[in-house]
């Protein structure tokens, strides 16, 4: 159903909070990650840095429960509407990975505060 | 500021309706598209199929006025909060390119109706 070949085996997957509509993160899926997500109801990506399947939250406990899955018109992007356990999707502790607003001159400012301390979550 | 090199010169850019929060589409930007977007306030992508800059709406008139730009924590994805002129971002006439909902068995259903007739918009 999805066209993994167009982009060399990986397609982008957007995670959006199913209640607030906030866009939380973007990661990538290969065929295995897609099938694992469908089968388990937990958002599963492919980690480009580690080269392995990545069940989001397996380290932090902040898993993503999938409420709805959508695909786009040319079947090369996934949109997951999810419930984010622990509120924050970002490894920085921010709710969204998209917590930097860019101004017209190309500078950026961080908006919002982290809701957890990454040191406590990842090094406990 | 953005890391175009990690993904070979193109990074994904998500367009989200700035009022409703609906995710409308995902396309790609190269450095030129990024700078054109910043300079003009109109969402500009790089068309992978045509190999050229793509000012969204240049054919249909349905341009995207950029209200806010965000970048993610590792600076390899863009989130545009936009006003979609003509309501629909998708070339099919649907408001969102993500108008297909996938069920657990991997089938999908189209949700919503097109708000314009693509034949009239693109072949006039």
């Amino acid at each position: 159903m999805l066209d993994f070949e167009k982009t060399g085996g990986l397609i982008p997957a957007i995670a959006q909070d199913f209640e607030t509509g906030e866009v939380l993160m973007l990661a990538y899926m290969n065929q295995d990650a897609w099938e694992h997500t469908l089968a388990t109801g937990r958002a599963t990506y492919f980690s480009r840095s580690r080269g392995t399947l990545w069940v989001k939250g397996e380290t932090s406990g902040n898993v993503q429960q999938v409420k709805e899955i959508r695909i786009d018109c040319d079947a090369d992007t996934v949109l997951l509407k999810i419930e984010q356990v622990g509120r924050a999707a970002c490894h920085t502790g921010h709710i969204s990975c998209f917590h930097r607003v860019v101004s017209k001159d190309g500078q950026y400012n961080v908006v919002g505060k982290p809701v957890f301390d990454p040191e406590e979550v990842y090094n406990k």
Side-chain angles (χ1 to χ4, degrees), chain A:
Chain A
M1 178 201 300
L2 285 166
D3 187 352
F4 288 97
E5 295 314 308
K6 192 194 294 184
T7 47
L10 295 180
I11 62 174
I14 303 160
Q16 180 182 31
D17 186 292
F18 83 112
E19 285 187 321
T20 67
E22 186 166 4
V23 175
L24 301 178
M25 58 180 280
L26 180 141
Y28 292 84
M29 287 184 176
N30 62 0
Q31 181 82 38
D32 282 353
W34 167 248
E35 290 175 2
H36 195 268
T37 299
L38 278 180
T40 65
R42 288 195 172 178
T44 306
Y45 306 104
F46 180 82
S47 168
R48 294 177 298 169
S49 55
R50 296 195 298 267
T52 58
L53 274 198
W54 165 34
V55 179
K56 170 69 180 167
E58 63 188 344
T59 304
S60 65
N62 294 348
V63 299
Q64 297 178 334
Q65 304 287 5
V66 176
K67 299 294 186 179
E68 187 176 286
I69 302 177
R70 295 190 175 214
I71 58 172
D72 74 341
C73 50
D74 48 4
D76 62 4
T77 307
V78 172
L79 173 63
L80 302 177
K81 300 194 180 191
I82 58 110
E83 178 185 354
Q84 177 63 61
V85 173
R87 286 186 68 207
C90 189
H91 72 288
T92 60
H94 284 267
I95 287 175
S96 169
C97 293
F98 296 95
H99 54 269
R100 297 192 285 181
V101 175
V102 180
S103 55
K104 286 183 180 173
D105 62 359
Q107 304 299 304
Y108 67 81
N109 291 300
V110 173
V111 289
K113 302 277 185 195
V115 298
F116 69 70
D117 179 350
E119 288 290 320
E120 288 183 12
V121 169
Y122 294 104
N123 300 320
K124 61 188 175 188

